[in-house]
Structures are given as structure tokens and as C-alpha cells.
Amino acid sequence: MKTGFRKARLNINTIQYVGLALVILAIAFGFQAAFGNVMTTANLRVMAMNMVFEGIMALGMTFVIIMGGIDLSVASVFAFGEILVAKLMVQAGLPVPVAVVLTLITCAGIGALNGVMIVMLRVHPLIITLGTLLTLRGINLAITDGKSISGFSEGFLWLGQGRIFGVDFPIIFFSVTALILGLLLAHHRYFRQLYFIGGSERAARFSGVNVSRVKISIYVLSSTLAGCAGIMAAAKYGAAHWGHGNASELKAIASVAIGGADIMGGSGTIFGTVLGVIFLAVVHNAFVTSAVNTFWYDVVNGVMLLLAVLISRFIARQNTQKLKALRQSKLDQSQHYQTSKGGKP
Amino acid sequence: MMKLGTRLAAVTVAVSTLLGSASYAQDTQEHYGMVVFLKGSEFFNWSYAGFQDAAATVGATTELQGPADWDASAEARAVDQLVAKGVKGIAVTAGDADTLAGSINAAMAAGVPTLTFDSDSPNSDRLLFVGTNNYNAGFAAGKAIGEEHGDEARVGVSLIPGLDSITSRLEGFKAGLASVAPGAQIVATVNDEGDLQKAETVNTAMLQANPEINVIFCAHGNPATGALSATRNVGRMEGANKISVLAWSLDVPILQGIEDGEYGATVAQNPYMMGVMSFWMLWSAAHPTQFDSLTSPGMGQVPTADLDTGVKILRQGDPAVQALMSPPKI
Amino acid sequence: MLKATGITKSFHTNMVLHGVDFDVLPGEVHALIGENGAGKSTLVNILSGNLSRDTGTVLFDGQEVDFAHPLDAMRAGVSVVHQELSLVPNASVAENIYLRREKTNAFGLNDWPAMFKAATEIFQRMGVDIDPRALAGSLSVGMQQLVEVAKAIALNAKLIFMDEPTSSLSEKEIQELYGVVNDLKAQGLSIVFISHKLTELFAISDRITVLRDGKLVGTRPTKQASPEEIISMMVGRHLNDLYPPRAKSIGEVIFKCRDLSLFGAVKDVSFDLRRGEILGIAGLIGSGRTEAMRALINADRRLSGTFELNGQAVTLDDPADAMEKGVIYVSEDRKSQGVFLDYDMVRNIGASTLDRQSRAGMENRKSMRQSALKFIREMDIRPARPGTRVVDLSGGNQQKVLLAKALNARPKVLIVDEPTRGVDVGAKSLIHKQLRRLADEGIGVIVVSSELPEVLGMSDRLLVFRNGTVASQLDNNDGSLTPESVMASAVD
């Protein structure tokens, strides 16, 4: 007992991150060597912009998944954010800051609604947020008649197209948000609670965690981030349209899972998610660069997702196996006991 | 774990190398991109086939990008990506006109000739639009009805009001009909909301209220099946009183219906030609001659007006029907 | 330290604690023991604020207290180390200890060095060496248990309940835990040790309190008590003569089980089952009795095991295969492993015979209804309408449906696990009669139960499980077996 435990074992997550980073580099350099045109500034920028909105959603999704939930509604909150901010500016004539703030508040409200329903109805978040996804998509379609809204002010467009030191604002937003959220998730007591909720909700409750409040707040965070992404997307494309960001919830979830989070909750980091986002961006880019039939893109995404889930199941299985092995060794011991004592009556 | 990571990396490198050796030829060839929404749909497969075939005649290569759904923002990203990749030209069908404007403008600004086909983005800086001119197509349809039914034609129209493209088609239809059969009349128009079931309901109601109708003109792709069901509902799908349904679609079920004599005719656009012409326009823009383009200096000459790829009115027995029923492989 | 008087608690109409008195002295290790269902857990849950009591008073540190939430209890200094571990594997040891009471720095972020230091101090106090930086998931189960104790100490607990803390520890780790318990005791903490391992209680406790059927049987200073006395306190009740008569004649062996093992749960279990007899299987929770039965039909993948049915070797590849060959296991967990709550009785009873009772792949509702009606009559299931959904039946009638479903599959060997759990007296006796009738008809019947009177009353022969093995085989054809002798084999 006095030996060995000082040596912290190599963290399984670290290995997963290193592996993922190696795969990303291998793809990027492999395709650079084969086709060129990968490591150019223009391509890197396009690559980043390609996943940046899903990436922002994935940040919020990381929090949700760590606490054992899931939020499918982000895709339609994203489009709703686009449409609402567009309507407030173009049709209601509100100034940009007011429209943005109102939109974010509304999106936060949708998250709160998700959270409250999940907590109150005790229905699996998959079902609740699927309901929100479909309902909101219908609303998006209905309030726009399926048409797009455009005609934004230059000031608003900056949110999607502006650059600081040559870097697009959404990318900066993603990076800064990832940094702050990553820091908070790793070190702030409020967000550390997520791991406890995801690990065992019952135990967390016994330890005094206000599970309901934390859950609701995290769905608010997720929706608000999706709203942020929507606002910036409207600015990036110069138009708001219900079809934007279709199926982005799946990419966000895939990023989180590929980044090593257990989809059943209790593990995951922002760093892992950022790696997952980069992975998807690089893979997609590789398909364009190589001009391979892009139908295969979804196949690769899917396979990677399955692989990620497989790995996390593998780890979980190993843990239970360890526990069983321990009991087995006890069983073997007690067997000796009995035989040495000659058995009881 | 480590082993898994290493293996993955090894596989990736191997795959990359394979792809790399396969792509040697590309360096010397010109490469063009096509961006569509609903990737995988038959209509755009026809377009891409035309694009590809035209490119092959000058030894150029092509690729098809875009989402398999209606997400126009994914199209915009695909355009950005092709620009970054350095293609010689891009043909894009705009899933949403406004959403694509930014990316099209950026592509043009980067010196990559970019045009729209089938669905336009009129406020963008695109070179030109290649596709069906709605007025002309409507005119052809109206003329065909006028020639077939003469002054006896009593037409009901199934449409979605308020859409520019459909309004133009209807204008053209009226003019075409009047040009050969001044006595023909448009009796009623109904709003099918682009929905099959709705189309059946409103068309049935229209036929009951206006028994004199002998032609239904479907001004867009969706309602044809619903309109046909409506004629069955009022017992006029066959026989002497048969109502002739004019569809606006290339879908295989509709073409089969033409072959079987269920529909009177269909207005066939020419997506293959859209692809062919798109390529030639891009190729022309990418190869400046002694006079630059009038609208886009630095690029080769292309028409300053939109290019109409025309329509054909297909009836039973037309050999084109059979040809269109076997979609291209891409 | 703690003095509880007259604690009662009922769930619905079921009274589980009848005016229990319980007290803990400062610096004492107090053992709490009792059979399964004696009310130990309920009592602990009430004293730690996890459940509310119906009546009774609790004095803690001289103050009357009524903890509404585990948090209140923790704040007052009462902590529970639960049997199932509640650590988060992906958080560090220190973080697990200081959850909700994190030390933070000026930025409001966690001050990890301070937490690591404080955790190290606690471990020093306990006399163990665990790295507070390590992820909790990387520790052995025993270590995790010690982290749980550290968590309680960090809360300044004065009283710690340990609920079967040794159930998944190795012998070495158990000794380590004893060391920690003694250290803490020397520092003036009180510990309530819940276990049903007698040797353990005699090794570590100062006093022993025995509960039975929700009542206090008595409290004895450990030094003055003997294991025999404690056992008789645990079981001391009279068997009533509600049980059907025993086997009239016992015939040849119809089922043989040899060397049945399940990784981590069951080791080398062998037994014979004879025509006409009911074989009882007893043992405490965690002794491997249910696990062995599940391994028998390969519901959990067994390591080894060979079987003979009526002299023929059979393989029993999976539950469906076992059912086809006539070996049927009726689960203890009725709701999640037994009946389809939302389906009616016809479907439930017919579920095991869909192959036999379907016509060209379609459910043959008529024939299923026929057999359902037959069982409803035989077993007196009420209401006697075959279309009633099972969820709408009482517990006893649900159990009868479960039994009917098994019988409908025409078993040769029927294994029933906890056949009367949550069932009222009338239904219980009816189920017992049915089981005896089946045995008389020549079906091999195995009854697994944690209710000692039930196994004793029903069985002609008894296997007692302990630590995943058969500790003893006892003959009971004359009904002379005493609970004491069974309990003596069941406990370490």
C-alpha cells in the first residue's frame, strides 16, 4: 500500500490526444505532399471557416455531454439566431447591438426551456432536444416562408467577415471562447461539477450539487453559443436562411466524441473537442483537395465517430474488467481459506 | 491505445500516398468545380455529367461539391474551398441567392471565373447565369397547348404565387398561348403551396368548380402527381373528357407517366446542357483572347446576357423521354 | 455522540422500522448487523438525512436534529461511505474529496496546490499514502474506499457510517481499512460499521447491534458476545407451518451441474437435482447465488460449467437455448427482467412460447388466450381478465403471471429467484403450493431466496452459498434444519 501510488499512471486521455493530433498532422502533411495546396494561408483560412460555426456549437456541446446530456437543438437554434437577428435589424430596424443582445437572450431562453423540460419531465435529453430541433426548424421555415433575409449593415457584416490581424472574427471568437471555457472547465468549481453529474448524478446530488440548476444553466450555455454562431453566420453569408447549419448538431457531437469525451458523460475536455473540430475540418478539406467523391466524406466522419465511441467503450470495459478481476482474485483466495480449514459443516 | 494511434497514422499516410500517385496528372491539367445543393439528385447529376463531358473534350478535369440537403451556407463554404484550392472556374447553382452572393463575389475578386446555373444569384458579381429562361419556357409551353387544343383550350394553372420564376413562366405561358390560339382562356389558378397533397386537394376543387377545364398547367415541378390524382378524382383521367396535364418536371415517375399516356406532356428543361454551357462559359472566361470580357476585365469573353438553355415539350413516343429515363453515371 | 429513540418508518403500508433505538458513543466502532431486509439501510438512511423518519427522536452531540438532506447531516458532522463508490473517475482524488468545498484562488478558480496539500494532510492523518493528484479512476477499489473515508474526514465528520465497506476489498486492503478505522477511533471519531460478515465485526467493533424485521433485537458489547449468540439474534424467529408438505418420494437425478464458474462472481459450483425434490439455494446478498443461476443459463457469460439433463449432456448456450431445452430461470428482478409491464396477460404468458403458438409467423391470439385462461384459473390470478395489462396487476399477481409464463414454456427444470418478493401472504402461499405441485409432477424445482424461512420451509435440500461457492449442502427432508445452522454457513 505504501508503494507505487505516487507514480501517476499515464493518463489515457493524453494518449488519445496525442494519437488524434498525430492523425491530423499525418492527414494534413500527407495531402500536402500529394496534392499541395493544403498548407497555404488561403486554404487554412477556408478550412477554419468551414468548421468554425460547428466548432462554437461543439464547445457548448462539450459541457452538455460531460454532464451526461445531449443537445440536438443547436442546429435549429443556430438558424433561428440567424433569422431572428436578421428580422430584428432588417424588418424591425433595430440597431445592431440591440438586435444581437435580444437574439442572444432569446436563444438563452430556448436553452433554459430545454433545460427546464429535461429536469422537470425527466425525459431523456435526446427526445426533448430533438423535439426542440424539429419544432424550431418548423418555426424557422414558417416565419421566413422559406425565403432568406438579407440587406445587413456593414457594421453587422463585420461580425462574420471582419478580420483582426488578418484572422476572421469568428475564428477569433472561437479561439477566445475555447480558451476561456477550457480554463473554466478545467479549473472552476462550478464547471467541475459537470464531471460529477456526468459520472453519477445520484452521487453528485448526495454531495450537495444542485443538479437541476447546473443542468439548466448548461443548456442555456449551449443554446447561447449556438445563437452566437448563428449571428456570426448571418454576418458571414450576408443572409439568414432556415436551411443554414442543417445537421450541424451531428458535426458538433461528432467533434466532441472524436475529442475523446465519453458520450455517456463524466469525461471530456475543451482541448479534446478543439482537436475533434480540427480533425473534421482537416478531413473535409482533404476530400476537397483530393477531389475524391465527397459522398465519402460522411462515411469517414461516421467511421471516426464510431471509432471514438468504440475507444471510450473499450476503456469503460477495461475498468469493469479490472473490478471483476479483483473479485476473482478474492474468490481464489477464499477458496484456499476454505480448503485449508477443511470446510465448514 | 498508442498502437491504435500509430496504426491509424500509418494507414492515413499510406492512403495519402496512394491518392498522391493517382493525382500526378492533375498538376498539368486545368481543373474546374461545380457546386450544387441536393447533391446526388438526378437533375444536378445531369448537369454535372454535361460539365464533365464538356471538360473532357479539352482534357480538363472537374469535381462536384456541395451539400446533400438544402443548406446554401454549405454551398458557400464549398465555393470558398474551391477558390482556396485554386480551380480555374466555378459553376454554382444558388440554393439561396443571398447566401451565396458573398462567396461568389469573393471568388470573382480572387480572379476565379464564377457563374450560376439553374438557380441564379442575381445580386452577386457572377459572370452570367446559365439556365432556363422562365418566360421563354412558359412561352413554349403555352404555344404547345395552343397548337394542340386551339381556341378550345380552357386552362387551369397550379402554382405558388409570389415567386418571380413562376410568375415569369405564367406570363410567358399566356403570351405563347395567345400567339397561336387567341380564343383559348385561362379559367382559374390555384395555390398548391408546393405540396403534393395540397395540390391534389386544390386541383380537385378547381376541376369541380370549373368543369370546362380541359388542360392543367403545372407551373413548377411539385404538383404534377397531385394534379393527375385530381383528374382521377373527378373521373376525367381517361376517356373522351380526359384532362390533359402539362407537367414541369424531368423526374423518372413523370417521364414514365408520359410514356404511359397519363400526362399530356411535360416541360423538359435541359440540365445536361446547363452543365455543358457552364463549362464552356467558364473555359472561355479562363482563357482571355485579345479582347477581355466587357464586364469582368482580366477574364475572357462571355455573353453579357444570361444564357437560355431552352426547354423541350415532351409527349408520348418522343425518343428523348427514353433517353432521359436513364440518368447519367458520374 | 448519537442517540436515536423510537425510530419508525413505513413505505406506503409496509412498515420497515418499528420503533428502533440506537446509540453511538464517542470514539467507538459500533457494528450494525442483520439479515437482508432487516432495516439496516433504512436506519442509516434516516440517520444520515437521506430519508425522513415517521416518528422518533435523534440527538446528535446533545442537540435534537432532523436532517432534511444528506448535506445537513454532513454539515453537522455525519457522513456515509456508501457501498457503491461515488467517486468520479475522471477527476483527481483531491477534487473528489473537496467537491463543493473547493479551495479557490483570487480569480475564483480552483487552487489545486492548496487542495492537494490539504488532501495529503488528511491522508497522513489516516496513515495511508495516496497521491491526491491521481485520477480517482486509476486507483484500486480499496484505495477508492479510503478516498471516500478521506472525503468524510474532510467534512470534519464526527460520525461515519460505513455501509459494507469491505465487500469488494482484498484481504490486504481490508486489513488496511481496519488500520484506518482504528486510527480514526483513536482520534475520537465514531464509526458505525455495517456488515454481515461476523468475523469482521468481531475483529473491529466495540459493540454490536442486531436488527431483525425492522425491530431492535439488542445491543451487546463485542467482548461479551459470541458469534452463536449474534446468529441466533439475527435469525431467531419461528417457522410457521404455512408451507406445503415436503416431497413424498425423491427419485433419480434429473439435472446435474458441474464446475459452474462466472468470472469475478462464482467459482466451481456443482450440484444435483432429483426428481420430486425442491432444492433451496440460500446465501447473503453478494454471495453469488443469483449470479450462479444466471451463469447456469449463460445470461452472463460463464467461464466453465457442464450440465446433464435426464442423463443427457446439454450445453445451455444462452437463455433461449436453455428455455428450449427445458431449463427456465425466473428472474428476481420482475420489472426489468421478467414481465412486459405494458402488455396484457395473454402476451406475457405467451411470450415464452411464441414459436409454438404462432401460425405462419403470426401471433395466434386465440390459442395464446386459451392457455392464458388456463393459467389464470389455475393460479387464481385476479382480475381474471386475460386482456388486463400486467402493470395494472398487484405485485403478487404479477409474480403469478411471471410464473405462468415460465410454466407455459413447459419446463423440465424451473429455477425461481425470489419467487415471493414484494408479494402478500395469500399469494405467497399460493405460489408455494404451485411450486410443490410442480415438484410432485416431476419437474425439478430450484428456489433461490434471501428469505431464510422461505428456503427452509420449501426445500428438501439446501445449498448455502458464500463468497461465490457452495459453502455447504444441507439435508432438510425432515424439515429439521434450523436457521442458525444455515446462517453459520452463510457468514464468514
Side-chain angles (χ1 to χ4, degrees), chain C residues 155-415:
Chain C
L155 280 156
N156 293 318
K158 295 173 201 147
L159 172 61
I160 303 177
F161 288 96
M162 295 189 181
D163 190 0
E164 303 222 24
T166 60
S167 58
S168 23
L169 302 194
S170 70
E171 196 54 38
K172 198 171 148 235
E173 287 169 328
I174 290 174
Q175 293 305 326
E176 183 78 22
L177 183 72
Y178 287 174
V180 170
V181 166
N182 284 326
D183 278 0
L184 295 178
K185 183 172 123 182
Q187 290 166 33
L189 268 74
S190 305
I191 288 158
V192 176
F193 209 90
I194 299 142
S195 175
H196 38 232
K197 295 185 186 165
L198 273 185
T199 44
E200 200 166 288
L201 300 187
F202 277 94
I204 191 141
S205 68
D206 301 312
R207 287 194 297 161
I208 301 178
T209 289
V210 181
L211 291 184
R212 189 179 67 227
D213 297 336
K215 296 187 186 100
L216 173 73
V217 182
T219 301
R220 300 278 183 277
T222 309
K223 287 203 180 86
Q224 295 164 23
S226 69
E228 290 72 27
E229 184 191 1
I230 299 296
I231 288 178
S232 76
M233 285 169 78
M234 281 167 72
V235 295
R237 68 181 126 180
H238 306 289
L239 290 185
N240 43 27
D241 46 8
L242 274 172
Y243 294 93
R246 273 160 226 283
K248 294 176 203 88
S249 67
I250 291 176
E252 76 285 5
V253 172
I254 52 176
F255 181 73
K256 258 188 194 169
C257 165
R258 289 291 175 270
D259 302 325
L260 179 65
S261 294
L262 176 69
F263 188 69
V266 176
K267 197 170 157 83
D268 299 337
V269 166
S270 301
F271 62 87
D272 292 341
L273 178 64
R274 292 174 174 277
R275 185 176 299 280
E277 75 171 349
I278 290 182
L279 179 65
I281 293 188
L284 298 165
I285 282 181
S287 63
R289 50 188 162 90
T290 294
E291 289 81 354
M293 293 305 114
R294 287 177 56 83
L296 188 105
I297 55 164
N298 226 7
D300 295 319
R301 213 158 185 81
R302 60 180 173 247
L303 278 181
S304 65
T306 51
F307 313 100
E308 259 180 40
L309 189 59
N310 293 326
Q312 302 276 313
V314 288
T315 50
L316 311 183
D317 294 328
D318 54 62
D321 181 49
M323 182 176 278
E324 205 169 291
K325 287 167 181 157
V327 179
I328 294 183
Y329 171 72
V330 178
S331 168
E332 57 169 345
D333 188 352
R334 180 163 74 219
K335 287 197 172 123
S336 71
Q337 295 176 17
V339 291
F340 304 99
L341 285 175
D342 287 335
Y343 286 176
D344 63 10
M345 287 197 256
V346 176
R347 275 243 175 102
N348 266 287
I349 295 174
S352 52
T353 57
L354 275 180
D355 282 346
R356 180 153 50 79
Q357 290 190 324
S358 55
R359 202 179 284 153
M362 308 294 281
E363 265 186 5
N364 186 346
R365 186 82 193 171
K366 201 171 155 197
S367 119
M368 282 165 72
R369 196 182 157 84
Q370 290 295 329
S371 47
L373 268 172
K374 183 180 124 228
F375 283 111
I376 289 171
R377 256 197 319 276
E378 271 176 28
M379 302 214 167
D380 190 25
I381 299 175
R382 292 176 200 191
R385 289 188 305 276
T388 314
R389 289 193 317 160
V390 169
V391 70
D392 298 327
L393 298 178
S394 71
N397 283 307
Q398 285 184 3
Q399 192 67 36
K400 289 182 195 168
V401 170
L402 193 55
L403 202 58
K405 177 181 146 195
L407 294 183
N408 197 15
R410 297 176 188 162
K412 298 189 178 98
V413 173
L414 179 68
I415 306 167

Side-chain angles (χ1 to χ4, degrees), chain C residues 402-479:
Chain C
L402 193 55
L403 202 58
K405 177 181 146 195
L407 294 183
N408 197 15
R410 297 176 188 162
K412 298 189 178 98
V413 173
L414 179 68
I415 306 167
V416 284
D417 200 342
E418 304 285 3
T420 60
R421 179 182 284 174
V423 163
D424 59 282
V425 184
K428 203 167 176 171
S429 138
L430 201 135
I431 289 170
H432 289 152
K433 277 190 195 127
Q434 288 285 338
L435 291 173
R436 177 52 72 188
R437 184 179 63 83
L438 293 171
D440 288 345
E441 283 169 7
I443 294 171
V445 177
I446 300 179
V447 175
V448 184
S449 176
S450 56
E451 264 188 70
L452 214 38
E454 178 169 55
V455 253
L456 284 174
M458 287 299 294
S459 54
D460 302 300
R461 204 153 48 85
L462 196 58
L463 299 182
V464 185
F465 272 66
R466 186 178 76 225
N467 285 344
T469 58
V470 178
S472 58
Q473 268 202 42
L474 307 169
D475 195 24
N476 191 34
N477 197 237
D478 52 2

Side-chain angles (χ1 to χ4, degrees), chain B residues 74-99:
Chain B
E75 279 190 276
R77 293 197 294 253
V79 170
D80 293 347
Q81 197 125 45
L82 288 172
V83 173
K85 187 181 173 180
V87 294
K88 292 292 262 184
I90 301 168
V92 52
T93 179
D96 175 62
D98 297 327
T99 301

Side-chain angles (χ1 to χ4, degrees), chain A residues 1-2 5-6 186-189 192-193 196 202-203 206 208 267 323 326-328 330-332 335 345, chain C residues 50 74 84 86 88 90 95-96 100 108 110 112 127 129 141 143 167-169 176 264 267 467 469 472:
Chain A
M1 182 76 85
K2 300 261 176 204
F5 279 96
R6 283 277 161 204
H187 299 295
H188 196 280
R189 49 190 297 184
R192 297 300 299 176
Q193 296 183 127
F196 289 80
R202 208 171 132 253
F206 282 162
S267 78
L323 200 79
L326 191 100
R327 293 217 189 100
Q328 179 69 23
K330 235 183 103 185
L331 218 59
D332 294 341
Q335 193 77 352
Chain C
N50 214 345
M74 281 182 211
E84 77 260 45
S86 59
V88 170
N90 280 297
E95 190 173 6
N96 270 291
R100 291 288 296 162
N110 285 356
W112 298 111
D129 185 19
V141 183
M143 293 284 181
S167 58
S168 23
L169 302 194
E176 183 78 22
K267 197 170 157 83
N467 285 344
T469 58
S472 58

Side-chain angles (χ1 to χ4, degrees), chain A:
Chain A
M1 182 76 85
K2 300 261 176 204
T3 58
F5 279 96
R6 283 277 161 204
K7 250 190 290 168
R9 292 191 319 154
L10 191 49
N11 189 340
I12 202 113
N13 282 336
T14 321
I15 304 173
Q16 205 165 352
Y17 295 155
V18 171
L20 189 55
L22 284 177
V23 173
I24 291 171
L25 288 178
I27 297 174
F29 282 100
F31 278 79
Q32 169 72 25
F35 303 99
N37 268 335
V38 175
M39 295 301 176
T40 62
T41 327
N43 188 57
L44 288 177
R45 179 173 163 245
V46 165
M47 202 194 287
M49 284 306 288
N50 228 325
M51 269 301 284
V52 73
F53 300 124
E54 282 91 345
I56 292 168
M57 289 182 238
L59 296 178
M61 193 70 77
T62 312
F63 284 69
V64 176
I65 286 180
I66 288 174
M67 72 173 184
I70 195 131
D71 187 357
L72 296 181
S73 70
V74 287
S76 61
V77 174
F78 170 85
F80 180 73
E82 273 195 355
I83 291 166
L84 185 63
V85 79
K87 275 189 172 281
L88 289 177
M89 289 185 309
V90 177
Q91 293 171 9
L94 294 179
V96 174
V98 180
V100 167
V101 169
L102 279 180
T103 304
L104 289 182
I105 291 174
T106 315
C107 290
I110 296 167
L113 204 66
N114 271 337
V116 168
M117 283 195 287
I118 288 162
V119 168
M120 303 273 289
L121 302 179
R122 292 167 188 277
V123 176
H124 195 282
L126 195 78
I127 306 300
I128 297 283
T129 56
L130 181 65
T132 318
L133 174 78
L134 298 177
T135 312
L136 207 53
R137 178 162 295 160
I139 290 175
N140 290 340
L141 205 66
I143 59 179
T144 57
D145 286 331
K147 285 178 240 167
S148 62
I149 305 170
S150 62
F152 305 137
S153 67
E154 281 301 315
F156 178 74
L157 292 181
W158 187 88
L159 289 175
Q161 301 171 8
R163 298 199 199 180
I164 300 171
F165 300 122
V167 183
D168 295 72
F169 178 70
I171 299 173
I172 298 213
F173 179 92
F174 171 74
S175 312
V176 172
T177 313
L179 205 68
I180 294 173
L181 290 180
L183 201 69
L184 290 178
L185 183 59
H187 299 295
H188 196 280
R189 49 190 297 184
Y190 188 79
F191 295 104
R192 297 300 299 176
Q193 296 183 127
L194 301 182
Y195 290 93
F196 289 80
I197 297 176
S200 162
E201 203 174 312
R202 208 171 132 253
R205 200 165 266 142
F206 282 162
S207 307
V209 175
N210 188 338
V211 175
S212 304
R213 198 182 67 193
V214 175
K215 272 192 177 176
I216 294 170
S217 69
I218 294 306
Y219 282 101
V220 167
L221 175 73
S222 173
S223 267
T224 311
L225 282 173
C228 287
I231 290 169
M232 282 185 283
K236 155 92 167 93
Y237 301 119
H241 188 254
W242 66 274
H244 288 182
N246 196 11
S248 55
E249 77 279 9
L250 297 179
K251 279 194 198 166
I253 293 168
S255 304
V256 178
I258 291 172
D262 185 347
I263 209 79
M264 310 301 282
S267 78
T269 62
I270 289 291
F271 181 69
T273 297
V274 171
L275 278 182
V277 170
I278 294 176
F279 173 83
L280 288 187
V282 168
V283 169
H284 184 242
N285 196 260
F287 272 94
V288 178
T289 324
S290 60
V292 170
N293 186 341
T294 44
F295 288 124
W296 288 98
Y297 170 58
D298 289 337
V299 177
V300 170
N301 278 353
V303 169
M304 279 315 289
L305 182 62
L306 290 178
L307 210 61
V309 172
L310 217 65
I311 289 171
S312 71
R313 288 294 89 194
F314 173 74
I315 294 169
R317 215 182 119 97
Q318 287 227 312
N319 287 341
T320 52
Q321 207 61 21
K322 256 195 307 194
L323 200 79
K324 275 194 186 167
L326 191 100
R327 293 217 189 100
Q328 179 69 23
S329 70
K330 235 183 103 185
L331 218 59
D332 294 341
Q333 269 173 19
S334 69
Q335 193 77 352
H336 293 148
Y337 256 152
Q338 209 184 342
T339 44
S340 65
K341 274 196 271 178
K344 287 198 179 183

